[in-house]
Amino acid sequence: MAFKAFTKTQIYEKHDAPKEKDKFGIQCLECFDRNLYIGSKNATVQHLILPNSANGDLSPGQSKTREGRARKLGSSNPVVQLRAVPLFNHLLVLWDRGVTALNMFSLEPVPALKKIQHVSLFEVCDSLLTARAGCVQMVTSSSRRRVIRIHVVGVDRWEVVKEVSLQQDPVALAVDGTSLCVATCDRYLLCDVETGSSEELFPHNHKKQLVIVTSVGRGEFLLNGPESLGMFVMKTGICQRPPLQWPQEVLAATVCFPYILTLQPQVLSVYSMLDQRCKQTVSLHGGKGLLSTSDGVLVFTERDIFSLRLVPLEEQIQALVGHERVEEALLLLDGVQSRRPLDSYKELQKAVTCLAGFVHFYQEGFSEARELFIAGELDPRELILLFPDMRSCLSNDFQSQFDQGTKKGRALQVLWREDTNMFHHYLSFLADFLRAVRGTERDSACRAEVDCALLRLYVGLGDTENLQQIVTSPNECRLDHCVPALEKNNRFFALGSLYQSQGRQTDAIKTWVNIADGSHEDDSCSDVYGHIVWTLSQLDDRDIVRNFADWTLRKNQEKGVQIFTNRPPDDRLETQDVFVLLEKYPLASVLYLEFLIHDLSSEEERHHSRLALAYVTQTLREEEEAGLRSTRGKLQHLLWESKFYDVSTVYERVKSTTLHVETAILLGRSGEHSRALQVLVHRERDPQAAEAYCCRAAQGHDAPFRQALLLTLLQIYLSSEDPTSTAVDLLNDNPRAFAAEKVVQLLPDSWSVQLVSQFLVGSVRATLHQSRVVKLQEALARVELMRHKVTWMQASKAMFRLEKEQKCKVCQRVLAEPHFACNLHGELMHVGCTGFF
């Protein structure tokens, strides 16, 4: 079906006797409200009363157009023009080269208004009907002189108030406000009614009956220009619209925004003012003239009158969209924006924009469709409805606002069967659009439907990333719709995340446990066990943590303990409760103790002692199994660094073991350094360990303490059975740490000087170096003292003038005593006041 901007209805047909047929002929029309006036060629004015429906838009059961009064003006000369003045109930009639005023209802002449003679054309200034109190303006063209007259018309008078001279006789004119557009035999002019000024527009070569001048409104005129162009001219003389290319021999033209209607002998054409294209043609034989009304156009022939009712803009736009003329629909909508209420326009704009989006959607123009759907604020459910497999996500009370669902839904279903790849593109578009509107105002009323549809789309498209994102973020997915879809497609990890987002923590973890144990297959997450551990570490529900702690630790103690160590600082479990849960898991216990001591800086003796004993046990186990020593370093570091463990308890545990170094450290922590060194020398038999013990134990103490430890170690070496090599190595490695005079007294008499020569040389050098350093320090101190003395001497030679009544800089009292002080700025003060300066 072709697009229609107007619907045609016949509202009047003149039936006369055969002998009167040639006498009656419609010459002109005028219409106000339901009152229609006909001017005939036999000098008759006929009043018609239209039915209640606009412009005679009749339907079965409604009344027809009724004939009212008729008035015969004379025996000859046709009625040329009619104009209604509702303000005074006047009907102005141009007949026999004069303007006569009749009553609009009785058609009786108005006695006070005498006929204006010698008038060829006239127009009433419609926009000025209420501009002045009690009068309107009328423009007439003289049939004797080349002049335009401006009349003021009242209820019982009219008078000429201004004349505008012309160079040629006018053949057509139109008025809009204070602007007057006049056509002469070869040109068009613009005149200002108030100032009387005129401006030539452009020439023409039309016959008199083809000259067209009509008002478009808002200071704009439509003219029949050269080369069959309909020219739009503003009252300022400029053109703001492109010209309209219309056919030759246009008899009449009128405006019914946003359309221009042109009349030809056999057809009436409808053009858009917005894109200058022909939108509709109406077959009409013998057309003579057009009259624009409030909601359409009246067109008449010799004996018939037809109503062209403007189709409601909503229907026009929907028809254009239905014919997939999307750009025309949007152009029409934007063009009528200024003529409609703002709220009505916005709602219509949204609807049309969405309909345009559907057109692009079915043409696979997904990018354009997405932009139009978002701009038109399309309800997401309208798009979900088009996909048969997605309709179960919608609630039963949803009613579509667009006629798209049934027919197009079937088309998509056929596409799904015949072209899976293309249907996949449609699904991807739906997912992209729902993702774009999710969380916006359009989504607020149907969040559950959108979330369910998105989840099912992600599952069907295999989009793991977006699927995981929606199930882990706050959502309103309905479990009864989503759980079966996830289970059917083996998306158990996402199912657990969905349970978690819905607050069902136990179901979530159970689902993940089944994946980790192999009961469910789902490769979408590479480390399900790690995710379970992280989830348990963040849970507020401690009962759930306790319930799954045993499974987690049994699976992997090293990672499982993180459910206790990685908890938020303000939500940690009681330490004693954790120890009970870790009782069967020694490695996890050690890691938890390390967390308490190293990360939480625990100073509790039981934690430090428990960790030390655990280290001992683990160290002994490692030495028995594979000779590993990874834990032993931790044990030794703890024994040296910690100040909080129970030394006696740990010592009782290690003294009977092979952990001699640890035994020595514990003895040293008790102050028994001699016993500690004996253990290292005699039981561990490790001179390097003994020497390292001395260095480590001396940290934080002065040099004599280290010398004493090394001297004790030397004595132990010398008292052993074969002391020579170890004692000599100790002396040679630490020449500066021993006092030579004490060492010489301890050495056996059998030792030669050559044996300890390296130690003696090093010791003497160290002693000499120390002596020289002391002397140098003394010299530097003397120089510093000398510098201060020089400064004092220079200051003592300065002279100060003490005036009578001289006041102290600090206390402002008079300096009356012979002793006073002076600061570096030369200011004098009491000696006792120097402490306050």
Side-chain angles (χ1 to χ4, degrees):
M1 181 180 292
F3 169 76
K4 288 187 177 181
F6 293 88
T7 56
K8 175 185 171 184
T9 305
Q10 184 174 17
I11 62 173
Y12 180 73
E13 180 181 6
K14 180 65 175 177
H15 298 284
D16 285 337
K19 62 180 181 179
E20 299 177 353
K21 185 172 182 181
D22 294 333
K23 297 181 180 180
F24 181 85
I26 301 175
Q27 291 292 112
C28 60
L29 296 178
E30 175 64 329
C31 183
F32 175 75
D33 195 21
R34 294 171 55 207
N35 301 287
L36 178 61
Y37 302 92
I38 299 174
S40 69
K41 67 180 182 180
N42 61 355
T44 301
V45 177
Q46 175 70 57
H47 180 201
L48 302 179
I49 302 174
L50 301 176
N52 287 330
S53 56
N55 277 352
D57 182 20
L58 301 176
S59 59
Q62 290 183 327
S63 60
K64 303 290 185 178
T65 302
R66 294 186 295 111
E67 291 189 354
R69 296 176 183 272
R71 183 168 188 82
K72 183 77 172 178
L73 301 178
S75 60
S76 62
N77 294 328
V79 176
V80 178
Q81 199 171 354
L82 297 171
R83 288 292 180 265
V85 184
L87 182 64
F88 309 126
N89 292 332
H90 290 346
L91 178 65
L92 306 184
V93 183
L94 177 58
W95 165 78
D96 192 26
R97 294 186 177 273
V99 177
T100 303
L102 305 179
N103 183 275
M104 287 178 59
F105 303 105
S106 66
L107 298 186
E108 293 294 331
V110 179
L113 299 178
K114 295 182 179 181
K115 181 177 180 180
I116 302 176
Q117 300 289 347
H118 310 299
V119 176
S120 60
L121 300 168
F122 85 99
E123 279 293 346
V124 175
C125 300
D126 294 335
S127 62
L128 299 178
L129 287 175
T130 57
R132 299 181 181 180
C135 61
V136 297
Q137 284 188 338
M138 178 178 65
V139 179
T140 63
S141 170
S142 174
S143 60
R144 289 188 172 183
R145 298 173 54 194
R146 295 174 178 175
V147 64
I148 297 290
R149 292 189 177 94
I150 313 300
H151 302 258
V152 173
V153 181
V155 67
D156 56 0
R157 63 184 177 88
W158 49 22
E159 59 182 338
V160 177
V161 294
K162 187 175 296 185
E163 290 187 355
V164 179
S165 299
L166 301 175
Q167 299 295 324
Q168 296 173 316
D169 292 327
V171 296
L173 61 83
V175 181
D176 191 301
T178 61
S179 299
L180 175 66
C181 187
V182 179
T184 65
C185 60
D186 62 356
R187 70 195 62 197
Y188 291 101
L189 305 173
L190 269 180
C191 301
D192 190 287
V193 173
E194 293 185 345
T195 63
S197 61
S198 63
E199 175 186 0
E200 182 176 338
L201 294 176
F202 51 84
H204 70 83
N205 56 358
H206 300 302
K207 299 177 183 179
K208 179 178 179 181
Q209 62 269 26
L210 299 180
V211 175
I212 296 174
V213 180
T214 185
S215 173
V216 178
R218 301 189 177 187
E220 190 173 15
F221 299 94
L222 174 63
L223 313 177
N224 190 4
E227 303 298 333
S228 299
L229 293 176
M231 304 293 293
F232 296 93
V233 181
M234 298 297 297
K235 62 182 180 180
T236 56
I238 63 174
C239 297
Q240 291 186 336
R241 303 178 194 268
L244 183 66
Q245 183 69 59
W246 58 30
Q248 296 181 352
E249 296 186 0
V250 173
L251 303 177
T254 190
V255 177
C256 183
F257 187 85
Y259 297 104
I260 300 293
L261 291 86
T262 62
L263 182 63
Q264 298 167 261
Q266 302 298 324
V267 70
L268 183 145
S269 301
V270 179
Y271 295 87
S272 171
M273 297 175 61
L274 306 175
D275 60 5
Q276 291 76 48
R277 294 167 62 182
C278 183
K279 302 298 181 181
Q280 182 183 359
T281 57
V282 179
S283 177
L284 186 68
H285 298 285
K288 294 190 64 177
L290 301 171
L291 176 67
S292 179
T293 63
S294 59
D295 55 357
V297 173
L298 297 177
V299 56
F300 60 92
T301 63
E302 281 279 350
R303 311 185 70 79
D304 302 306
I305 301 175
F306 298 90
S307 169
L308 295 179
R309 185 180 64 87
L310 184 65
V311 175
L313 289 172
E314 291 85 348
E315 296 181 17
Q316 293 185 46
I317 292 170
Q318 290 177 2
L320 288 171
V321 174
H323 289 86
E324 298 186 357
R325 294 158 65 177
V326 179
E327 301 302 328
E328 292 182 57
L330 291 175
L331 182 63
L332 176 59
L333 178 63
D334 291 337
V336 301
Q337 174 183 358
S338 60
R339 306 293 180 100
R340 298 182 61 86
L342 183 60
D343 293 339
S344 172
Y345 166 75
K346 286 185 176 180
E347 292 303 317
L348 182 59
Q349 182 191 42
K350 292 177 183 178
V352 173
T353 304
C354 291
L355 289 173
F358 280 116
V359 172
H360 285 289
F361 174 73
Y362 291 115
Q363 293 175 348
E364 301 169 20
F366 296 128
S367 177
E368 297 84 355
R370 180 180 183 273
E371 293 180 2
L372 289 169
F373 285 152
I374 293 176
E377 299 181 4
L378 177 70
D379 188 328
R381 294 173 291 185
E382 298 283 0
L383 204 55
I384 297 173
L385 183 65
L386 302 182
F387 294 81
D389 291 344
M390 294 292 166
R391 291 177 183 172
S392 60
C393 298
L394 301 177
S395 58
N396 295 329
D397 59 350
F398 172 68
Q399 297 294 327
S400 174
Q401 302 299 314
F402 299 95
D403 185 19
Q404 300 285 330
T406 304
K407 178 179 67 175
K408 299 298 185 177
R410 286 197 297 267
L412 287 180
Q413 192 169 19
V414 172
L415 185 66
W416 171 65
R417 295 173 180 173
E418 297 179 354
D419 191 345
T420 306
N421 186 45
M422 180 52 64
F423 186 72
H424 187 277
H425 290 310
Y426 276 94
L427 291 176
S428 299
F429 168 77
L430 176 61
D432 180 61
F433 173 73
L434 294 180
R435 184 166 51 248
V437 301
R438 185 172 185 257
T440 64
E441 184 178 353
R442 298 299 300 167
D443 170 60
S444 59
C446 54
R447 180 68 181 275
E449 288 94 333
V450 170
D451 286 355
C452 288
L454 272 175
L455 184 141
R456 297 184 63 174
L457 283 169
Y458 292 150
V459 171
L461 295 171
D463 191 344
T464 302
E465 181 180 354
N466 281 317
L467 173 62
Q468 197 59 33
Q469 183 177 358
I470 193 173
V471 296
T472 54
S473 62
N475 62 78
E476 296 184 16
C477 294
R478 298 198 299 268
L479 295 180
D480 56 335
H481 284 78
C482 298
V483 171
L486 293 171
E487 291 178 341
K488 180 180 178 181
N489 292 272
N490 293 330
R491 307 310 291 266
F492 293 102
F493 183 76
L495 175 59
S497 299
L498 179 61
Y499 280 137
Q500 185 182 30
S501 67
Q502 301 279 343
R504 299 173 60 170
Q505 303 290 351
T506 301
D507 291 336
I509 298 175
K510 283 182 178 179
T511 304
W512 293 329
V513 166
N514 289 332
I515 299 175
D517 288 341
S519 301
H520 295 325
E521 293 184 4
D522 186 356
D523 57 357
S524 60
C525 180
S526 59
D527 186 13
V528 178
Y529 174 77
H531 185 77
I532 295 173
V533 170
W534 180 85
T535 302
L536 289 172
S537 69
Q538 305 301 311
L539 271 184
D540 296 331
D541 193 332
R542 301 187 178 188
D543 291 335
I544 297 178
V545 176
R546 295 187 183 95
N547 292 338
F548 288 96
D550 189 65
W551 178 89
T552 307
L553 293 167
R554 189 169 60 252
K555 200 80 172 175
N556 187 319
Q557 294 187 47
E558 187 173 357
K559 285 188 176 180
V561 74
Q562 294 177 7
I563 66 176
F564 307 114
T565 60
N566 288 352
R567 297 189 67 80
D570 57 347
D571 190 33
R572 302 195 189 281
L573 275 67
E574 291 293 333
T575 304
Q576 193 57 40
D577 294 343
V578 177
F579 282 137
V580 172
L581 295 172
L582 299 179
E583 187 174 357
K584 297 184 295 183
Y585 307 99
L587 177 58
S589 298
V590 170
L591 294 173
Y592 183 68
L593 287 168
E594 289 178 345
F595 167 73
L596 292 177
I597 294 172
H598 301 319
D599 293 11
L600 300 186
S601 303
S602 173
E603 296 182 356
E604 293 189 30
E605 177 271 331
R606 61 193 180 102
H607 296 162
H608 288 254
S609 298
R610 189 167 185 167
L611 179 59
L613 294 174
Y615 278 160
V616 171
T617 302
Q618 192 169 343
T619 300
L620 294 174
R621 185 183 304 112
E622 289 175 353
E623 290 187 348
E624 291 176 0
E625 292 176 355
L628 301 175
R629 293 179 177 269
S630 59
T631 307
R632 191 168 188 182
K634 295 181 180 180
L635 173 60
Q636 293 179 8
H637 182 269
L638 177 67
L639 296 179
W640 277 121
E641 297 295 336
S642 176
K643 301 178 182 179
F644 305 105
Y645 62 88
D646 187 343
V647 176
S648 60
T649 301
V650 181
Y651 177 73
E652 290 298 325
R653 177 70 179 84
V654 303
K655 69 178 182 179
S656 58
T657 67
T658 59
L659 303 179
H660 303 307
V661 175
E662 289 74 8
T663 302
I665 295 173
L666 292 167
L667 289 171
R669 293 299 301 270
S670 302
E672 300 183 38
H673 297 291
S674 178
R675 288 183 61 191
L677 290 172
Q678 288 179 5
V679 169
L680 294 173
V681 172
H682 298 305
R683 296 172 62 183
E684 183 66 18
R685 299 183 182 278
D686 186 353
Q688 286 78 15
E691 188 173 342
Y693 173 86
C694 294
C695 295
R696 182 64 183 81
Q699 289 182 4
H701 297 278
D702 53 10
F705 183 80
R706 181 169 179 268
Q707 291 179 2
L709 289 178
L710 290 173
L711 193 61
T712 301
L713 179 58
L714 179 61
Q715 290 175 341
I716 294 173
Y717 284 156
L718 293 176
S719 62
S720 61
E721 296 179 356
D722 186 15
T724 304
S725 60
T726 54
V728 171
D729 289 341
L730 178 63
L731 291 172
N732 291 337
D733 292 341
N734 303 278
R736 299 183 180 184
F738 290 98
E741 63 277 9
K742 293 182 180 181
V743 172
V744 171
Q745 294 176 3
L746 296 175
L747 294 178
D749 296 337
S750 60
W751 285 19
S752 63
V753 174
Q754 184 178 0
L755 185 63
V756 294
S757 60
Q758 182 178 348
F759 162 71
L760 293 175
V761 171
S763 179
V764 170
R765 284 180 176 175
T767 303
L768 180 61
H769 173 73
Q770 184 65 28
S771 174
R772 289 175 177 173
V773 168
V774 171
K775 290 181 179 180
L776 181 59
Q777 291 174 344
E778 290 179 352
L780 291 174
R782 286 196 296 270
V783 170
E784 184 68 15
L785 177 61
M786 186 64 68
R787 189 177 64 82
H788 286 293
K789 285 184 176 181
V790 170
T791 303
W792 178 78
M793 291 176 64
Q794 291 175 347
S796 64
K797 292 181 180 180
M799 297 180 64
F800 301 95
R801 184 179 183 85
L802 185 62
E803 302 285 349
K804 186 177 182 181
E805 302 298 329
Q806 179 78 37
K807 293 184 179 180
C808 173
K809 177 64 178 177
V810 178
C811 66
Q812 298 299 316
R813 290 185 297 174
V814 176
L815 295 171
E817 299 179 358
H819 303 287
F820 58 89
C822 178
N823 62 17
L824 296 178
H825 301 291
E827 296 170 333
L828 305 182
M829 64 191 72
H830 293 108
V831 176
C833 293
T834 55
F836 301 99
F837 183 73

